């Protein structure tokens, strides 16, 4: 797939770096007969690429590959197709370690909040004293799109800033896997292993991918031990706590937890709003606070979607020459917001809350007022108010015909309690996360 990198290079010269970073770099290319298939990670990227860049992409691909046929789809390359980094394929020279870290992601543009404070502090410490036993290995875990890779890059970039000769190698777990497979085929395992001896820090993303791959785990286990013994810093990310990943060997699980493991949780409302404002500043777009609040209120599943909504808004404003007001934001994001809201129905909320607290739905809806039932019931009503567009009377109806004042009381009560009750706050965040997945 030679034409795409060349095409991207051209596009980088023709469009602002920020746009290339946001819209074009996330595309993955492959070939289907005469057609170049471009995979976009989500609908925002696909739509923007289609409306703003596709014509130019067609021209460039026609020029470089002889065929201007392009299919733009949502998806990603099958994992086994992932290219390995050249740094892994050949014995790397020191300069090979430059370029595999995305310099865009730093501590400066990472917004700190309650949900990621510890993770940020740990990544910062690892960057200050790579290899220190207090945070080696460092494992950042949490669900998708919450900034784990951002923090990992930030740590790597910070290490380099402090010491430009430091060798930091970033690999997605799939790349480790494909490089190892290639080395096995080529009978070049010695070279494969040697490469890791040369690094000062290995950053390895999404290690849940190792689940069920015994040979890869074994190899990673040895790599890990060698790095650890050599006091080289290891930073890893995983989509959940490794002990909960089925198909990871117990000895690897226990190794992973040797240093420091930190959860990254979904950001709260204030942090989400700050992230929107910060990303807007980065893009050179001015958006009023009330619009940032609107996006933060509606988009709660993960930061990637939050960013997607902002990007759509900014792109549309640039395109139409309109300024970003609350009304414009409502209008532009309407479909998006509707899709978000529709995906969460009252029945779904009731079931999720009942399961979470180990109750039956009929208990949740019953008239019984024991505390063990009343609190989850209030949580369910408050969540329904928060996540759907239903009115208070409609919510009351859906909770076995309760009065709208009962629903209002539940919402106020939960909001009030969450200010002091950490456990309730945690339950709330977890439930929001489950319902937004
Ligand atoms: N606190 C934050 N401040 C600024 N940007 C953030 C923050 N959290 C997440 N982001 C942004 O959200 C996007 C997704 O983050 P990232 O890729 O790091 O997520 P992830 O947790 O590694 O997800 P995955 O598990 O899917 O790889 C990035 O553009 C990142 O910059």
């Amino acid at each position: 797939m030679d034409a795409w990198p060349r095409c991207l290079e051209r596009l980088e010269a023709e469009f602002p770096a920020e746009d290339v970073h946001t819209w074009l770099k996330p595309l993955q290319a492959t070939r289907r007969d005469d057609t170049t298939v471009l995979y976009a990670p989500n609908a925002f990227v696909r739509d923007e690429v289609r409306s703003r860049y596709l014509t130019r992409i067609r021209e460039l691909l026609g020029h470089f590959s002889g065929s201007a046929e392009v299919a733009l789809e949502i998806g990603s390359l099958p994992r086994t197709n992932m290219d390995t980094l050249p740094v892994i394929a050949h014995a790397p020279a020191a300069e090979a370690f430059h370029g595999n870290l995305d310099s865009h992601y730093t501590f400066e543009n990472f917004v700190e909040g309650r949900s990621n404070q510890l993770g940020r502090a740990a990544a910062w410490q690892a960057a200050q004293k790579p290899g220190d036993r207090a945070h080696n290995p460092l494992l950042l875990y949490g669900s998708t799109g919450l900034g784990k890779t951002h923090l990992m890059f930030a740590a790597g970039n910070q290490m380099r800033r402090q010491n430009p000769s430091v060798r930091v190698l970033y690999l997605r777990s799939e790349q480790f896997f494909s490089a190892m497979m290639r080395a096995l085929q080529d009978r070049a395992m010695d070279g494969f292993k040697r490469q890791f001896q040369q690094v000062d820090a290995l950053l390895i993303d999404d290690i849940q991918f190792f689940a069920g791959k015994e040979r890869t785990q074994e190899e990673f286990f040895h790599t890990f031990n060698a790095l650890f013994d050599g006091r080289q810093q290891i930073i890893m990310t995983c989509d959940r706590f490794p002990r909960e990943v089925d198909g990871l060997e117990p000895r690897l699980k226990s190794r992973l937890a040797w240093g420091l493991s930190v959860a990254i949780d979904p950001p709260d409302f204030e942090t989400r709003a700050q992230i929107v404002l910060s990303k807007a500043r980065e893009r050179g777009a001015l958006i009023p606070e009330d619009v940032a609040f609107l996006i933060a209120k509606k988009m709660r599943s993960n930061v990637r979607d939050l960013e997607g909504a902002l990007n759509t808004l900014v792109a549309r404003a640039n395109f139409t020459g309109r300024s970003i007001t609350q009304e414009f934001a409502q209008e532009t994001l309407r479909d998006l917001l509707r899709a978000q809201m529709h995906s969460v129905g009252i029945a779904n909320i009731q079931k999720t809350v009942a399961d979470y607290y180990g109750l039956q739905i009929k208990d949740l809806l019953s008239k019984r007022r024991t505390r063990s039932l009343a609190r989850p019931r209030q949580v369910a009503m408050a969540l329904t108010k928060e996540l759907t567009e239903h009115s208070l009377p409609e919510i009351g109806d859906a909770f076995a015909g309760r009065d709208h004042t009962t629903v209002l009381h539940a919402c106020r009560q939960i909001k009030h309690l969450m200010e002091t009750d950490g456990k309730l706050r945690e339950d709330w965040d977890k439930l929001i996360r489950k319902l937004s997945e």
Side-chain angles (χ1 to χ4, degrees), residues 67-364:
S67 163
E69 289 298 316
V70 179
L72 185 58
E73 297 173 7
I74 297 177
S76 58
L77 287 176
R79 287 173 182 273
T80 44
N81 258 359
M82 294 273 184
D83 283 336
T84 50
L85 284 177
V87 56
I88 277 294
H90 314 286
E95 63 270 20
F97 289 99
H98 295 269
N100 68 342
L101 268 189
D102 192 330
S103 58
H104 177 81
Y105 297 105
T106 62
F107 286 109
E108 286 77 18
N109 61 17
F110 187 81
V111 177
E112 190 175 339
R114 208 166 43 87
S115 58
N116 58 36
Q117 216 163 28
L118 282 179
R120 188 199 179 280
W124 176 258
Q125 283 305 326
Q128 299 308 308
K129 287 189 185 168
D132 190 298
R133 286 281 140 101
H135 45 248
N136 198 24
L138 171 62
L139 174 78
L140 302 170
Y141 67 95
S143 58
T144 186
L146 297 182
K148 302 182 297 295
T149 308
H150 186 137
L151 275 179
M152 187 184 231
F153 279 141
N157 286 322
Q158 184 65 24
M159 285 177 203
R160 278 211 189 133
R161 206 183 282 177
Q162 284 160 196
N163 175 3
S165 63
V166 80
R167 287 157 306 178
V168 183
L169 177 60
Y170 166 82
L171 285 179
R172 295 192 309 276
S173 297
E174 302 92 306
Q175 291 173 314
F176 183 92
F177 169 76
S178 356
M180 188 198 78
M181 295 304 281
R182 194 176 291 181
L184 278 172
Q185 268 167 12
D186 297 350
R187 298 176 191 280
M189 281 306 281
D190 283 351
F192 175 78
K193 289 180 181 157
R194 251 198 323 275
Q195 297 171 88
F196 295 101
Q197 292 165 6
Q198 303 180 28
V199 306
D200 298 303
L202 175 67
L203 316 185
I204 187 134
D205 215 354
D206 289 327
I207 55 164
Q208 71 277 359
F209 177 75
F210 289 154
K213 298 188 175 58
E214 281 160 29
R215 180 67 213 255
T216 316
Q217 285 184 44
E218 182 173 342
E219 219 34 75
F220 183 65
F221 182 77
H222 295 309
T223 306
F224 181 99
N225 288 342
L227 290 168
F228 186 79
D229 291 342
R231 290 190 166 254
Q232 292 142 291
Q233 178 69 44
I234 308 163
I235 307 184
M236 298 166 290
T237 70
C238 190
D239 69 354
R240 64 212 105 132
F241 192 54
R243 216 170 289 149
E244 291 169 18
V245 180
D246 292 336
L248 273 192
E249 278 185 39
R251 62 176 189 165
L252 184 56
K253 285 186 186 178
S254 102
R255 279 288 194 292
L256 298 178
W258 265 2
L260 185 59
S261 304
V262 187
I264 308 287
D265 288 320
D268 55 20
F269 171 73
E270 286 79 10
T271 313
R272 291 201 301 278
Q274 287 309 318
I275 292 175
V276 173
L277 289 168
S278 149
K279 298 276 175 197
R281 268 196 307 275
E282 253 177 46
R283 294 183 56 79
L286 271 182
I287 68 161
E289 271 198 350
D290 60 349
V291 171
F293 290 156
L294 174 77
I295 302 177
K297 180 157 172 19
K298 302 295 184 185
M299 312 295 297
R300 30 174 87 252
S301 51
N302 69 51
V303 180
R304 200 171 280 130
D305 286 353
L306 199 68
E307 220 178 324
L310 171 74
N311 289 339
T312 305
L313 202 62
V314 173
R316 206 57 41 127
N318 286 342
F319 212 56
T320 56
R322 289 176 63 186
S323 49
I324 304 178
T325 58
Q326 166 99 228
E327 191 196 357
F328 176 75
Q330 290 273 15
E331 201 181 293
T332 309
L333 300 177
R334 193 181 303 130
D335 294 342
L336 199 64
L337 300 179
R338 206 180 283 139
Q340 284 261 320
M341 279 166 211
H342 277 183
S343 60
V344 195
I346 301 188
N348 187 4
I349 295 177
Q350 291 172 338
K351 164 126 186 33
T352 307
V353 173
D355 287 351
Y356 183 83
Y357 287 106
L359 305 172
Q360 305 275 336
I361 294 188
K362 67 175 173 16
D363 296 327
L364 199 69

Side-chain angles (χ1 to χ4, degrees), residues 4 7-8 10-27 38 40 44-62 68 70 72 283 311 314-316 318-319:
W4 176 244
C7 173
L8 196 56
R10 276 292 183 84
L11 295 166
E12 282 185 276
E14 293 175 14
F15 292 96
E18 198 55 54
D19 288 4
V20 172
H21 176 80
T22 309
W23 306 114
L24 301 170
K25 287 252 175 97
L27 299 174
L38 293 177
F44 307 119
V45 174
R46 182 199 56 194
D47 294 348
E48 283 310 311
V49 172
R50 184 181 289 149
S51 67
R52 292 170 60 193
Y53 306 103
L54 198 55
T55 311
R56 184 64 185 137
I57 289 176
R58 286 213 167 96
E59 285 169 9
L60 289 170
L61 283 175
V70 179
L72 185 58
R283 294 183 56 79
N311 289 339
V314 173
R316 206 57 41 127
N318 286 342
F319 212 56

